[in-house]
Amino acid sequence: MGSFLRRYAQPYLFIAPAAVVMLLVVLYPFIYNFIIAFSNMSLYHLRNPEFVGLQHFRTIFTEPEIVSVFAKTVIWTVVNVAAHLFLGVGLAILLNQEVKGRGIFRALLILPWAMPQYITALTWRGMFNYQYGAVNLMLRALHLPAVPWQANEYWALAAPIIANIWLGFPFMMIIALGGLQSIPKELYEAAEIDGAGWWFRLRKITLPLLKPVLVPATVLGTIWTFNNLNVIWLVSHYGEPADKTHILVTYVYKAAFHYYRYGYAAAFSVVIFILLLSFVVYFLKATGEKGAAG
Amino acid sequence: MAGVHLKGIVKRYGKGDPVLKGIDLDVEESEFMVLVGPSGCGKSTILRVVSGLEEIDSGEIRIGERVVNDAPPRERDIAMVFQNYALYPHLKVYDNIAFGLRVRKTPKEEIDTLVREAAELLNLGSMLDKLPKELSGGERQRVALGRAIVRKPKAFLFDEPLSNLDAKLRVQMRAEISALHQRLKITTLYVTHDQVEAMTMGERITVLESGEIQQTDVPMGLYERPANRFVGTFIGSPPMNILDARLDGGRLAVGECIFSAGVPDELRNRADSRGFLLGIRPEHLEVHDRPEGLRATIDLIEPMGGESNIYLSTGAGRVVATMPGIAVRKRSDEVFLRFDPAAAHFFDSRSGVRLGEGSVPGRSG
């Protein structure tokens, strides 16, 4: 043991600061969350929580809103990620061509990403105001009916989705642009001489060769969107109308920090964690197998 | 199959000088034509305008009977092999070769027959299920060839296809491509910067420099009768020696040495004794010890095995001579150089244009 310490003391000393920080801010809260998930910790039992077993998990799965919140989470995630991919890849393909003022377009399109999320979210909330918001003013100017963005259950979910699409596509665009630039142009020239049209080249060359960068980006994008609290929380103003605009994480956040149901919220977090973990494992396996087969 | 005919092709990128300054070139049906020149001479641009990847500013491109100036690449029915192979990395060898046929909606059974036929011809039969990354450089190049021949195009365009291979493989692929052409007899335009490749593969060779054709001829024609100084020095390795020369009392003079060799009438008729250039190939220079001819000092000897390259300094400039066998001389030796005047070339010292060749037989001295 003594010789081992002497031999490896230095490298372990070097990684120690980073390791300590990781333990404190990642591992400790993660484990602590598991512990309180099985306790009745709340505002009443803050100092003297008791073990309650699976009680919270039973409550979660019998909650009347659970299905609707879960469905909204899936809609929120799928619509956002699909729109991010579609817009991001599409714009990247446009930007990858010789366009005049390409630098300006590129800068403008990255702008949404460069701004702090909560400022963007609050700005969008203002723009969705029924009477004075920019969106409805524009709709009126076009002689279209104004939309009750904050009063109707469905429009209230659509509003944060629109805001989040605007916020999120630049990330996909940058990733796709990087991927596109690594595709040698001779591949397109060879295909062009072979007679392949635009659509054929997109399907048979561009998309398959973008896959290696788009798969991890989609996984990341899905996790970020699934767990994106800021946008939906702020644009819907804490879940209005009447707590109808919730996804799983905003629901958990409200339970923990508005209703102080710490044990319940921790148990809910465990459920979310398991959901995401299963998704990632399944998705990587599915796309990986396909990739190997050609 | 069809010939490829270029008339007055001008191509300009942006506002600068044209890259192609009026190219006239006729590649006959079934011919193997090599385009050779230093980098930036416009040889690859010629391929790109023939393929339709680039548009021309003026002139006429004809493939067979059809003028294809405005036709997109797919209507020109040509196939191109790229320097970096341009294989689709996500597709297996089979699918790479089949790509062009699938684009053209060829029936499935026909694709299968054609792909296997091409694979057979190129010895790729066992590799059809592999991805390009699992192949060696030479195998990848053969897949690129397969992709070109499977469509049975009117013409092949090769853009420096062997540059990425090591020296040994290059020699082997050179022979394979030549053999393939012998078999298929498809009109071929082959671009290279390597004059050895040009000499060994081309039925005819076109030498280009700065966007202009310098000379088009059969390989030995270029070697024996270069149209100008550029062609003379570009074709042949080591390159042709160029020395300042003049007429002295009607006789050829180089440096302090006056030869009794004859010079072409055209040269003799030039009343002024303006200087001109003497071109002499390394293998036509004879290194010996008798004090006759041009005095020289050996700078460096490169033994090549079957022959040796001897680099020498003379009063008229530096030259290189090639001698059979291993040179017995060594550095700093004093020697003398002579040559058969019939093997000499003469060029105008300003324009570089060929003035003629030594014709009067006789010993130098």
Side-chain angles (χ1 to χ4, degrees):
Chain A
M1 191 65 195
S3 69
F4 177 86
L5 263 184
R6 229 173 295 125
R7 209 167 146 196
Y8 294 111
Q10 208 177 24
Y12 280 107
L13 210 61
F14 285 148
I15 61 165
V20 169
V21 172
M22 290 299 280
L23 286 175
L24 282 177
V25 305
V26 179
L27 197 63
Y28 169 71
F30 184 78
I31 292 170
Y32 187 64
N33 181 77
F34 266 87
I35 295 169
I36 58 176
F38 297 94
S39 78
N40 64 352
M41 187 190 275
S42 66
L43 203 54
Y44 294 112
H45 302 278
L46 198 57
R47 305 219 170 236
N48 54 346
E50 284 161 21
F51 180 77
V52 293
L54 293 172
Q55 185 198 313
H56 292 313
F57 294 92
R58 276 194 294 274
T59 320
I60 288 166
F61 290 108
T62 51
E63 210 76 75
E65 307 98 309
I66 182 78
V67 176
S68 133
V69 171
F70 183 73
K72 281 178 183 165
T73 310
V74 172
I75 292 169
W76 160 260
T77 309
V78 170
V79 173
N80 266 313
V81 173
H84 289 162
L85 268 173
F86 184 78
L87 276 176
V89 173
L91 287 168
I93 288 172
L94 291 179
L95 275 184
N96 198 36
Q97 292 163 359
E98 302 284 333
V99 208
K100 255 197 176 156
R102 183 158 71 162
I104 297 169
F105 283 120
R106 204 177 289 195
L108 281 176
L109 286 168
I110 294 172
L111 218 54
W113 204 42
M115 284 198 274
Q117 249 189 11
Y118 73 95
I119 291 182
T120 311
L122 290 176
T123 308
W124 274 100
R125 175 163 176 78
M127 295 207 298
F128 282 125
N129 181 286
Y130 185 79
Q131 207 155 6
Y132 310 109
V135 181
N136 277 357
L137 287 180
M138 264 193 283
L139 289 178
R140 279 197 201 105
L142 295 170
H143 300 288
L144 293 166
V147 172
W149 295 106
Q150 287 155 347
N152 173 291
E153 178 180 356
Y154 302 103
W155 289 115
L157 181 65
I161 287 179
I162 291 169
N164 197 52
I165 289 172
W166 189 80
L167 263 167
F169 78 83
F171 171 74
M172 278 304 175
M173 187 185 80
I174 294 298
I175 298 274
L177 201 53
L180 284 175
Q181 279 166 358
S182 71
I183 301 176
K185 73 173 189 337
E186 284 86 358
L187 294 188
Y188 293 107
E189 294 182 345
E192 207 179 328
I193 290 173
D194 272 342
W198 179 85
W199 177 240
F200 199 90
R201 294 199 295 257
L202 177 73
R203 257 179 340 120
K204 296 292 176 179
I205 302 176
T206 309
L207 293 181
L209 290 178
L210 271 187
K211 207 175 121 183
V213 295
L214 287 186
V215 167
T218 305
V219 172
L220 274 178
T222 305
I223 296 171
W224 289 343
T225 310
F226 195 94
N227 272 349
N228 187 320
L229 175 83
N230 294 351
V231 178
I232 190 162
W233 182 253
L234 293 173
V235 174
S236 72
H237 200 246
Y238 322 143
E240 283 175 3
D243 276 333
K244 289 289 182 200
T245 315
H246 276 302
I247 58 172
L248 292 171
V249 301
T250 57
Y251 189 84
V252 171
Y253 187 84
K254 198 151 192 172
F257 301 107
H258 280 202
Y259 303 135
Y260 309 107
R261 301 166 71 189
Y262 296 124
Y264 173 82
F268 219 133
S269 303
V270 169
V271 172
I272 293 176
F273 171 73
I274 290 168
L275 274 173
L276 274 179
L277 189 68
S278 339
F279 160 78
V280 171
V281 170
Y282 168 78
F283 189 80
L284 287 184
K285 221 175 148 190
T287 51
E289 269 167 11
K290 259 194 196 159
Chain B
M1 259 174 287
V4 175
H5 306 276
L6 308 182
K7 211 154 74 188
I9 301 296
V10 174
K11 168 74 191 168
R12 195 180 260 111
Y13 291 109
K15 286 179 188 149
D17 262 3
V19 190
L20 301 178
K21 302 171 185 164
I23 297 288
D24 295 301
L25 182 64
D26 289 297
V27 186
E28 305 304 333
E29 192 171 321
S30 301
E31 187 177 23
F32 197 112
M33 170 71 86
V34 174
L35 300 177
V36 67
S39 54
C41 70
K43 54 193 191 299
S44 291
T45 309
I46 292 181
L47 280 200
R48 295 178 66 82
V49 299
V50 171
S51 68
L53 292 172
E54 305 277 358
E55 285 174 14
I56 51 174
D57 291 303
S58 65
E60 182 187 285
I61 304 173
R62 197 153 57 77
I63 298 176
E65 293 307 308
R66 185 177 168 199
V67 176
V68 294
N69 283 14
D70 300 318
R74 66 170 159 275
E75 285 176 22
R76 301 191 182 195
D77 197 15
I78 37 95
M80 189 151 162
V81 175
F82 293 83
Q83 181 176 350
N84 64 3
Y85 323 128
L87 300 181
Y88 306 116
H90 56 295
L91 298 181
K92 289 179 183 162
V93 169
Y94 185 100
D95 301 309
N96 260 289
I97 298 177
F99 192 90
L101 298 171
R102 288 197 180 129
V103 171
R104 279 151 205 259
K105 307 233 158 61
T106 314
K108 222 172 174 178
E109 302 79 45
E110 201 182 327
I111 292 181
D112 196 61
T113 318
L114 290 170
V115 170
R116 289 187 193 283
E117 220 174 83
E120 181 84 7
L121 190 64
L122 292 161
N123 230 341
L124 287 168
S126 60
M127 290 161 209
L128 289 174
D129 280 333
K130 290 188 176 170
L131 286 170
K133 66 175 178 222
E134 299 171 83
L135 306 180
S136 70
E139 289 163 351
R140 284 179 205 183
Q141 190 52 266
R142 292 219 297 275
V143 177
L145 285 175
R147 205 169 60 182
I149 63 174
V150 76
R151 262 184 26 222
K152 303 199 162 68
K154 286 204 183 102
F156 282 150
L157 308 177
F158 288 91
D159 191 4
E160 308 223 16
L162 306 184
S163 304
N164 284 7
L165 301 177
D166 64 52
K168 202 174 156 197
L169 211 52
R170 202 147 55 206
V171 174
Q172 188 192 329
M173 286 304 294
R174 219 155 70 189
E176 281 187 33
I177 293 177
S178 292
L180 201 65
H181 179 256
Q182 287 299 322
R183 236 176 119 160
L184 303 174
K185 284 288 174 203
I186 291 180
T187 315
T188 301
L189 253 171
Y190 186 105
V191 160
T192 178
H193 64 269
D194 180 353
Q195 53 94 14
V196 177
E197 228 169 275
M199 291 293 283
T200 50
M201 298 178 79
E203 289 174 342
R204 281 198 303 156
I205 300 173
T206 294
V207 182
L208 288 143
E209 203 217 2
S210 13
E212 284 172 302
I213 290 182
Q214 304 295 315
Q215 189 175 2
T216 300
D217 205 339
V218 296
M220 283 322 283
L222 287 181
Y223 194 76
E224 288 169 352
R225 292 182 57 87
N228 55 37
R229 176 190 174 157
F230 177 81
V231 177
T233 51
F234 192 80
I235 300 291
S237 173
M240 178 188 276
N241 297 297
I242 300 287
L243 296 168
D244 282 319
R246 59 186 193 281
L247 284 180
D248 192 322
R251 290 191 301 169
L252 173 64
V254 177
E256 82 284 8
C257 178
I258 297 170
F259 294 87
S260 61
V263 292
D265 289 345
E266 198 192 320
L267 214 61
R268 206 188 296 275
N269 293 342
R270 283 158 60 132
D272 57 32
S273 57
R274 199 172 97 192
F276 54 93
L277 298 171
L278 164 73
I280 184 84
R281 297 218 176 265
E283 66 270 29
H284 295 141
L285 268 183
E286 194 188 330
V287 180
H288 62 102
D289 300 315
R290 286 187 307 280
E292 52 177 274
L294 198 57
R295 184 195 298 270
T297 315
I298 297 179
D299 290 333
L300 175 73
I301 298 175
E302 282 180 349
M304 307 292 285
E307 55 187 29
S308 304
N309 297 330
I310 304 173
Y311 293 83
L312 310 113
S313 294
T314 74
R318 303 185 69 180
V319 296
V320 54
T322 307
M323 307 288 287
I326 300 294
V328 289
R329 297 182 175 80
K330 56 185 193 302
R331 241 188 98 180
S332 308
D333 278 1
E334 281 266 300
V335 291
F336 292 88
L337 297 172
R338 64 180 183 190
F339 56 88
D340 180 354
H345 308 264
F346 300 106
F347 305 108
D348 187 278
S349 47
R350 268 184 231 151
S351 65
V353 168
R354 176 183 193 81
L355 298 171
E357 60 261 41
S359 52
V360 182
R363 282 276 133 215
S364 56

